Amino acid sequence: MALIPLQYRLDGPSHAPVVLLVPPFGTTMSVWDPQMPALTRDRQVLRVNHRGHGLSPVPEGPYTVQDLALDVLGVLEDRGFTRVSAVGAGLGGSLLLWIAANSPRTLERLALLAGTSRTPSTHCWDHVASRAREDGMGAVVDEVLLPWFTPDLTRDHPEVAARFADDLRGVDPGAFASICEALTGMDQRNLVASVRVPTMVVSAAHDPVLPPGHGRRLADGIAGARFEVVTGAAHLLGVERAERVNELLREHVAP
C-alpha cells in the first residue's frame, strides 16, 4: 500500500533536535497539548494524526501495523528528518516499536507510554470495529473512552473527558475500524529484542487497558530499558498526570 500523507504539525525552535509524538488511536495530536510547553523549550516537536483522525486522509482498508508505521516514516521523510527521538502512547507506540526494529537508524531515543508488545487477548477490537463500521463512532465512544481516565478525573474535570469524547466522535469510523482490525491479534514480541536505542517504558498504575505488567514485560525485553510507573492515572497518563510524565520525558528524550 502506498504511503498516506498524514496531517502533521511542527512546533518549537527551528534547527533544534526533533521529538516525534505518536498519539494513541482514537485521539488527535491535541492529546499532546499538556507536553508541549515542556518539550518545545529546546526541541522541535513533530505531531501527527493517524489515518482518519483530524485532517489525515482515509484510505480504504484493510490496514496493517506496518502500513501505519510507514505513514509515520513518510512524514519524517517529507520533512527531511533522518534521526529523531520519539514518544508513542498506547497502542500507537506499536508503530514506534516497528520502526525501532525495522528502521533502527531513524530513532535516537524512544519513550513508550502505556506500551505493550502485543494486543491482549481480552481486547475485543474486532467487535469494536464492527460496531464502529456499522453504527458510527457514537456507538463505541463510551466503551473506548472509559479506560482512558480514572473516575477522579471524569468527576473533577468532566470537561476534559468531554473534549476527548468529541475528538473520538470526529474520527472516521471506517478508518477507526480498520485500525482496530490491524490491532486485533497484533504480536510484536519477536521485534522487542531488536530495539537497540535507549528506551523508557512508562505505565499508568490504574490503566485497565494495559496495566503495568505489560510495560514491565516490554521493558524487560529491551536491553537497558528504563521502566517507570505513574500513580494516579489511567490509560491517558500524559493527560491525567502531565507534570510527572513531562518530567520523565524531559529526562529521557529532551535532556
Side-chain angles (χ1 to χ4, degrees):
M1 181 179 290
L3 299 184
I4 301 304
L6 299 181
Q7 180 189 15
Y8 65 85
R9 175 168 174 165
L10 187 64
D11 296 281
S14 60
H15 308 297
V18 175
V19 176
L20 166 69
L21 304 181
V22 181
F25 300 115
T27 72
T28 66
M29 61 177 73
S30 65
V31 72
W32 299 110
D33 285 351
Q35 280 65 61
M36 296 302 288
L39 293 179
T40 54
R41 292 177 200 166
D42 49 18
R43 293 292 189 275
Q44 291 188 85
V45 177
L46 177 64
R47 293 179 286 172
V48 300
N49 277 335
H50 297 295
R51 300 177 179 195
H53 295 60
L55 298 179
S56 287
V58 186
E60 186 177 351
Y63 306 161
T64 66
V65 170
Q66 177 177 326
D67 293 332
L68 300 168
L70 289 174
D71 289 347
V72 175
L73 284 174
V75 174
L76 298 179
E77 182 178 351
D78 181 67
R79 293 298 311 192
F81 296 143
T82 57
R83 192 165 175 82
V84 301
S85 293
V87 184
L91 290 167
S94 304
L95 311 188
L96 293 179
L97 271 181
W98 190 95
I99 291 171
N102 291 280
S103 183
R105 294 183 181 180
T106 300
L107 300 183
E108 184 172 5
R109 303 182 73 83
L110 176 62
L112 300 171
L113 308 180
T116 185
S117 58
R118 67 184 180 99
T119 302
S121 59
T122 54
H123 289 197
C124 299
W125 289 115
D126 52 342
H127 299 303
V128 174
S130 295
R131 290 200 304 280
R133 185 173 280 116
E134 293 171 6
D135 302 319
M137 293 303 295
V140 301
V141 164
D142 290 344
E143 177 182 355
V144 174
L145 188 73
L146 182 64
W148 285 2
F149 303 112
T150 65
D152 287 347
L153 183 135
T154 54
R155 181 191 65 239
D156 298 338
H157 300 284
E159 73 285 356
V160 174
R163 177 170 66 84
F164 279 90
D166 287 342
D167 286 348
L168 184 56
R169 288 189 190 95
V171 175
D172 180 88
F176 186 79
S178 293
I179 290 171
C180 289
E181 288 161 352
L183 295 175
T184 300
M186 180 200 71
D187 190 341
Q188 295 183 316
R189 286 176 293 180
N190 63 314
L191 301 182
V192 173
S194 301
V195 177
R196 300 298 184 188
V197 299
T199 299
M200 177 176 66
V201 180
V202 185
S203 293
H206 308 294
D207 184 353
V209 175
L210 295 171
H214 290 273
R216 167 60 74 185
R217 286 188 291 273
L218 176 58
D220 285 348
I222 300 173
R226 173 182 177 183
F227 178 65
E228 298 282 349
V229 175
V230 172
T231 59
H235 192 57
L236 294 191
L237 63 161
V239 175
E240 193 158 8
R241 288 292 179 263
E243 184 175 350
R244 176 55 179 155
V245 169
N246 291 351
E247 179 183 16
L248 291 169
L249 294 181
R250 287 283 305 176
E251 290 174 3
H252 187 72
V253 300

